[in-house]
Amino acid sequence: MLVCQVERNGSRPQNPDVDNSQVHATGPQNPDVDNSQVHATGFPKDCVICTGTTDSIAAFLAARADQPGKAVTSLGSTLAIKLLSTKRAEDARFGVYSHRLDDKWLVGGASNTGGAVLRQIFTDDELVKLSEQINPEEASTLDYYPLQDIGERFPVADPKMEPRLHPRPASDVEYLHGILESIARIEAKGYNLLKELGATPVDEVFTAGGGSKNEKWIKIRERVLGWPVRKALQTEAAYGAALLAMKGASL
């Protein structure tokens, strides 16, 4: 089976200058691909070609968050969230957009906060050792807005927003705790914003990326978010593409 990367019609705001009739739904076998095109690639004659999607959506599918209310937070260099919703939500003022997925919507946004900020301050070894000393059940009194540089995209679209990482306490454990909890608050603000814009309320969050390895951070996020947070067993976009191919071949 072969999965072609094609965004579904309606995944972005419609452009009157674009012929959307040529955009296919995600998943089904593509009837418009001629057999000669398959043979020219060297694939077997019985190769089934299915329409695919973007890499970030394929990664969402890999997490098996397949019911409305399920969400995936990717904690890498930056923080990105996607929520499966029965309703579309978009608002450029807050950096919120939607992708079409079958008869539902993937609603979300991407913040400039995330792991890159942590690596500006701590080494990987320090992050491990300091995290071990954090009590995730205790709320931090520190209020930061961790950014690598000036500018934020979501849940506030403000190109002039400046990082806020002070005051710095004498204890590095307290400082790290404050940063982790502040990032969790930004994540919570993002999901609450999606709900305010009409998206399906969150009931469970799967987490992916380097941040998913930090168990103390997961517990902090569960407390701040108020929903179950668990690691996604699969996070590779290729796995999600394979799931699409399996679905398309069965239709």
Side-chain angles (χ1 to χ4, degrees), residues 75-79 111-119 146-147 179 183 217:
L75 277 169
S77 298
T78 59
L79 180 150
S111 169
N112 288 337
T113 193
V117 181
L118 296 171
R119 286 213 164 107
L147 294 172
I179 295 173
I183 294 175
W217 200 2

Side-chain angles (χ1 to χ4, degrees), residues 204-216:
E204 184 177 26
V205 175
F206 295 87
T207 188
S212 66
K213 300 175 183 177
N214 190 321
E215 297 288 349
K216 294 295 182 75

Side-chain angles (χ1 to χ4, degrees), residues 137-186:
E137 302 306 321
E138 289 186 3
S140 171
T141 59
L142 299 170
D143 183 21
Y144 301 133
Y145 204 106
L147 294 172
Q148 207 177 359
D149 206 343
I150 294 174
E152 174 62 307
R153 300 174 289 169
F154 167 86
V156 178
D158 183 357
K160 297 182 180 180
M161 179 180 283
E162 295 189 3
R164 190 173 72 249
L165 287 162
H166 295 284
R168 178 168 182 165
S171 167
D172 283 344
V173 175
E174 289 181 27
Y175 192 40
L176 176 59
H177 188 174
I179 295 173
L180 295 180
E181 188 145 333
S182 295
I183 294 175
R185 292 191 198 110
I186 295 170

